[in-house]
Amino acid sequence: MQNKVTVTINGQEYNLVAAEDAAYMTKVAEHVDAKIQEVRESGKISASDAAVLAALNIADEYFKSLDAAENLRVQIKGFLEESADLKNQLSKAKQEIFKLQSQAKK
């Protein structure tokens, strides 16, 4: 289902159509608008230059987020491997305890 919403970015209205709900599209548009306004506040700059610089800032955030997510995946993989190793060690220790208990009863 396609959802439609009108948003304002840098003083210009845009009609968006997407599968995402209107609240999500509005949130994305507000983020883009805020990034453009942030760039424009840094000095006198044209709307098109501000949009390009804002896009670069957003792309930078995106790629840094991808790197952070990949680092987290690597950490999680390491933790899972360590957990599996510890479970294996625990299982072996339990087997050894059971073996020793059995021998002690004899």
Side-chain angles (χ1 to χ4, degrees):
M1 181 171 124
Q2 297 293 312
N3 294 305
K4 297 177 185 179
V5 65
T6 300
V7 298
T8 303
I9 300 173
N10 199 30
Q12 178 80 32
E13 283 194 352
Y14 296 92
N15 296 311
L16 304 179
V17 179
E20 288 79 11
D21 65 28
Y24 176 78
M25 290 188 288
T26 300
K27 181 172 88 170
V28 170
E30 287 172 351
H31 180 72
V32 170
D33 186 56
K35 289 296 181 181
I36 292 173
Q37 296 312 315
E38 185 180 301
V39 169
R40 292 200 81 180
E41 288 171 2
S42 67
K44 292 204 178 230
I45 188 168
S46 72
S48 61
D49 287 345
V52 169
L53 292 174
L56 287 170
N57 289 339
I58 292 168
D60 177 54
E61 291 173 352
Y62 169 75
F63 286 113
K64 286 178 179 174
S65 294
L66 286 179
D67 287 344
E70 180 58 29
N71 289 338
L72 288 173
R73 276 190 282 280
V74 168
Q75 281 184 325
I76 289 169
K77 182 179 177 189
F79 292 147
L80 289 172
E81 288 171 356
E82 183 180 357
S83 174
D85 185 48
L86 290 171
K87 284 180 182 179
N88 188 28
Q89 289 178 29
L90 178 61
S91 177
K92 287 179 181 179
K94 285 181 178 179
Q95 288 174 358
E96 185 65 24
I97 289 170
F98 180 74
K99 181 178 165 184
L100 292 171
Q101 286 175 338
S102 295
Q103 289 175 352
K105 289 181 182 179
K106 290 182 183 180

Coordinates of all heavy atoms in Angstrom, one line a residue, residues 15-61:
N15 N 5.5 16.4 -2.1 CA 4.5 15.3 -1.9 C 5.3 14.0 -2.0 O 5.9 13.7 -3.1 CB 3.4 15.4 -3.0 CG 2.6 16.7 -2.9 OD1 2.1 17.0 -1.8 ND2 2.4 17.4 -4.0
L16 N 5.3 13.3 -1.0 CA 6.0 12.0 -0.9 C 5.0 10.9 -1.0 O 3.9 10.9 -0.4 CB 6.8 11.9 0.4 CG 7.8 13.0 0.7 CD1 8.5 12.7 2.0 CD2 8.8 13.1 -0.5
V17 N 5.4 9.8 -1.7 CA 4.6 8.6 -1.8 C 5.5 7.4 -1.6 O 6.6 7.3 -2.2 CB 4.0 8.4 -3.3 CG1 3.2 7.1 -3.3 CG2 3.1 9.6 -3.6
A18 N 5.2 6.6 -0.6 CA 6.1 5.5 -0.2 C 5.3 4.4 0.5 O 4.1 4.7 1.0 CB 7.2 6.0 0.7
A19 N 5.9 3.3 0.7 CA 5.2 2.2 1.4 C 5.2 2.5 2.9 O 4.4 2.0 3.6 CB 6.0 0.9 1.1
E20 N 6.2 3.3 3.4 CA 6.3 3.6 4.8 C 5.1 4.5 5.2 O 4.5 5.2 4.4 CB 7.6 4.3 5.1 CG 8.8 3.4 5.1 CD 9.3 3.1 3.7 OE1 8.8 3.8 2.7 OE2 10.1 2.2 3.5
D21 N 4.8 4.4 6.5 CA 3.6 5.3 6.9 C 4.0 6.7 6.9 O 5.2 7.1 6.9 CB 3.1 4.8 8.3 CG 4.0 5.0 9.4 OD1 4.9 5.9 9.4 OD2 3.9 4.2 10.4
A22 N 3.0 7.6 7.0 CA 3.2 9.0 6.9 C 4.0 9.6 8.1 O 4.8 10.5 7.8 CB 1.8 9.7 6.9
A23 N 3.9 9.0 9.2 CA 4.7 9.5 10.4 C 6.2 9.2 10.1 O 7.0 10.1 10.5 CB 4.2 8.8 11.7
Y24 N 6.5 8.1 9.6 CA 7.9 7.8 9.3 C 8.4 8.8 8.2 O 9.5 9.3 8.3 CB 8.0 6.4 8.8 CG 9.5 6.0 8.4 CD1 10.4 5.8 9.3 CD2 9.8 6.0 7.0 CE1 11.8 5.5 9.0 CE2 11.1 5.7 6.7 CZ 12.1 5.5 7.6 OH 13.4 5.3 7.3
M25 N 7.7 9.0 7.1 CA 8.1 9.9 6.1 C 8.3 11.3 6.6 O 9.2 12.0 6.2 CB 7.1 9.8 4.9 CG 7.2 8.5 4.1 SD 6.2 8.5 2.6 CE 4.5 8.5 3.3
T26 N 7.4 11.7 7.5 CA 7.5 13.0 8.1 C 8.8 13.1 8.9 O 9.5 14.1 8.9 CB 6.2 13.3 8.9 OG1 5.1 13.3 8.0 CG2 6.3 14.7 9.6
K27 N 9.0 12.1 9.7 CA 10.2 12.1 10.5 C 11.5 12.2 9.7 O 12.4 12.9 10.0 CB 10.3 10.8 11.4 CG 11.5 10.7 12.3 CD 11.3 9.5 13.2 CE 11.9 8.3 12.6 NZ 12.0 7.2 13.6
V28 N 11.5 11.5 8.5 CA 12.7 11.5 7.6 C 12.8 12.9 7.1 O 13.9 13.5 7.0 CB 12.6 10.4 6.5 CG1 13.6 10.6 5.4 CG2 12.7 9.0 7.1
A29 N 11.7 13.5 6.6 CA 11.7 14.8 6.0 C 12.2 15.8 7.1 O 13.0 16.8 6.7 CB 10.4 15.2 5.5
E30 N 11.7 15.7 8.3 CA 12.1 16.6 9.3 C 13.6 16.5 9.6 O 14.3 17.5 9.9 CB 11.4 16.4 10.6 CG 9.9 16.8 10.5 CD 9.1 16.4 11.7 OE1 9.5 15.6 12.5 OE2 7.9 16.9 11.8
H31 N 14.2 15.3 9.5 CA 15.6 15.1 9.7 C 16.4 15.8 8.6 O 17.4 16.5 8.9 CB 15.9 13.6 9.7 CG 17.4 13.3 9.9 ND1 18.0 13.5 11.1 CD2 18.3 12.9 9.0 CE1 19.3 13.2 11.0 NE2 19.5 12.8 9.7
V32 N 16.0 15.6 7.4 CA 16.6 16.3 6.2 C 16.5 17.8 6.4 O 17.5 18.5 6.2 CB 16.0 15.8 4.9 CG1 16.5 16.6 3.7 CG2 16.3 14.3 4.7
D33 N 15.3 18.3 6.7 CA 15.2 19.7 6.9 C 16.1 20.3 8.0 O 16.7 21.3 7.8 CB 13.7 20.0 7.2 CG 13.4 21.5 7.2 OD1 13.7 22.2 6.2 OD2 13.0 22.0 8.3
A34 N 16.2 19.6 9.1 CA 17.0 20.0 10.2 C 18.5 20.0 9.7 O 19.2 21.0 10.1 CB 16.9 19.1 11.4
K35 N 18.9 19.0 9.0 CA 20.3 19.0 8.5 C 20.6 20.2 7.5 O 21.7 20.8 7.6 CB 20.6 17.7 7.8 CG 20.7 16.5 8.7 CD 21.9 16.7 9.7 CE 22.0 15.5 10.6 NZ 23.1 15.7 11.5
I36 N 19.6 20.5 6.7 CA 19.8 21.6 5.8 C 19.9 22.9 6.6 O 20.7 23.8 6.3 CB 18.7 21.7 4.7 CG1 18.8 20.5 3.7 CG2 18.7 23.0 3.9 CD1 17.7 20.3 2.8
Q37 N 19.0 23.1 7.5 CA 19.0 24.3 8.4 C 20.3 24.4 9.1 O 20.8 25.5 9.3 CB 17.8 24.3 9.3 CG 16.4 24.3 8.6 CD 16.3 25.4 7.5 OE1 16.7 26.5 7.7 NE2 15.8 25.0 6.4
E38 N 20.8 23.3 9.6 CA 22.1 23.3 10.3 C 23.2 23.8 9.4 O 24.0 24.7 9.9 CB 22.4 21.9 10.8 CG 23.6 21.7 11.6 CD 23.7 20.2 12.0 OE1 22.8 19.6 12.6 OE2 24.8 19.6 11.6
V39 N 23.2 23.4 8.2 CA 24.2 23.9 7.2 C 24.0 25.3 6.9 O 25.0 26.1 6.9 CB 24.2 23.0 5.9 CG1 25.1 23.6 4.9 CG2 24.7 21.6 6.2
R40 N 22.8 25.7 6.7 CA 22.5 27.1 6.4 C 22.8 28.1 7.5 O 23.2 29.2 7.3 CB 21.0 27.3 6.0 CG 20.8 26.5 4.7 CD 19.6 27.0 4.0 NE 19.9 28.2 3.2 CZ 19.0 28.8 2.5 NH1 17.7 28.4 2.5 NH2 19.3 29.9 1.9
E41 N 22.7 27.6 8.8 CA 23.1 28.5 9.9 C 24.6 28.7 10.0 O 25.0 29.7 10.7 CB 22.5 27.8 11.2 CG 21.0 27.9 11.3 CD 20.5 27.1 12.5 OE1 21.3 26.5 13.3 OE2 19.3 27.0 12.7
S42 N 25.4 27.9 9.4 CA 26.8 28.0 9.5 C 27.3 29.2 8.6 O 28.5 29.5 8.7 CB 27.5 26.7 9.1 OG 27.3 26.5 7.7
G43 N 26.5 29.8 7.8 CA 26.9 30.9 7.0 C 26.0 31.1 5.8 O 25.0 30.4 5.6
K44 N 26.3 32.2 5.1 CA 25.4 32.4 3.9 C 25.8 31.4 2.8 O 26.9 31.3 2.3 CB 25.7 33.8 3.4 CG 25.2 34.9 4.3 CD 24.9 36.2 3.6 CE 24.4 37.2 4.6 NZ 23.2 37.8 4.2
I45 N 24.8 30.7 2.5 CA 25.0 29.6 1.5 C 23.7 29.4 0.7 O 22.6 29.6 1.3 CB 25.4 28.3 2.2 CG1 25.8 27.2 1.2 CG2 24.4 27.8 3.2 CD1 26.5 26.0 1.9
S46 N 23.8 29.0 -0.5 CA 22.6 28.9 -1.3 C 21.8 27.6 -0.9 O 22.4 26.7 -0.3 CB 22.9 28.8 -2.8 OG 23.6 27.5 -3.1
A47 N 20.5 27.6 -1.3 CA 19.7 26.4 -0.9 C 20.2 25.2 -1.5 O 20.3 24.1 -0.8 CB 18.3 26.7 -1.3
S48 N 20.7 25.2 -2.8 CA 21.2 24.0 -3.4 C 22.5 23.6 -2.8 O 22.7 22.3 -2.6 CB 21.3 24.2 -4.9 OG 22.3 25.2 -5.2
D49 N 23.4 24.5 -2.5 CA 24.6 24.1 -1.8 C 24.3 23.5 -0.4 O 25.0 22.6 0.0 CB 25.6 25.3 -1.7 CG 26.2 25.7 -3.0 OD1 26.1 24.9 -4.0 OD2 26.8 26.8 -3.1
A50 N 23.4 24.1 0.3 CA 23.0 23.6 1.6 C 22.5 22.2 1.5 O 22.8 21.3 2.3 CB 22.0 24.5 2.3
A51 N 21.7 21.9 0.5 CA 21.1 20.6 0.3 C 22.2 19.6 0.0 O 22.2 18.5 0.6 CB 20.1 20.6 -0.8
V52 N 23.2 20.0 -0.8 CA 24.3 19.1 -1.1 C 25.1 18.8 0.1 O 25.5 17.6 0.4 CB 25.2 19.6 -2.3 CG1 26.5 18.8 -2.4 CG2 24.4 19.6 -3.6
L53 N 25.5 19.8 0.9 CA 26.3 19.6 2.1 C 25.5 18.8 3.1 O 26.1 18.0 3.8 CB 26.7 21.0 2.7 CG 27.7 21.8 1.8 CD1 27.9 23.1 2.4 CD2 29.0 21.0 1.7
A54 N 24.2 19.1 3.2 CA 23.4 18.3 4.2 C 23.3 16.8 3.7 O 23.4 15.9 4.6 CB 22.0 18.8 4.2
A55 N 23.2 16.6 2.4 CA 23.3 15.2 1.9 C 24.6 14.5 2.2 O 24.6 13.4 2.6 CB 23.0 15.2 0.4
L56 N 25.7 15.3 2.1 CA 27.0 14.7 2.5 C 27.1 14.4 4.0 O 27.6 13.3 4.3 CB 28.1 15.7 2.1 CG 28.4 15.8 0.6 CD1 29.3 17.0 0.3 CD2 29.0 14.6 0.1
N57 N 26.5 15.3 4.8 CA 26.5 15.0 6.2 C 25.7 13.8 6.6 O 26.1 12.9 7.4 CB 26.0 16.2 7.0 CG 26.9 17.4 7.0 OD1 28.1 17.2 6.8 ND2 26.4 18.6 7.3
I58 N 24.5 13.6 5.9 CA 23.7 12.5 6.1 C 24.3 11.2 5.7 O 24.3 10.2 6.3 CB 22.3 12.7 5.5 CG1 21.5 13.8 6.2 CG2 21.5 11.4 5.5 CD1 20.3 14.3 5.5
A59 N 25.0 11.3 4.5 CA 25.7 10.1 4.0 C 26.9 9.7 4.9 O 27.1 8.5 5.2 CB 26.3 10.4 2.6
D60 N 27.5 10.7 5.5 CA 28.6 10.5 6.4 C 28.0 9.7 7.7 O 28.6 8.7 8.1 CB 29.3 11.8 6.9 CG 30.3 11.6 7.9 OD1 31.2 10.8 7.7 OD2 30.2 12.3 9.0
E61 N 26.9 10.2 8.2 CA 26.3 9.6 9.3 C 25.9 8.1 9.0 O 26.1 7.2 9.8 CB 25.0 10.3 9.8 CG 25.3 11.7 10.4 CD 24.0 12.5 10.6 OE1 22.9 12.0 10.2 OE2 24.1 13.5 11.3

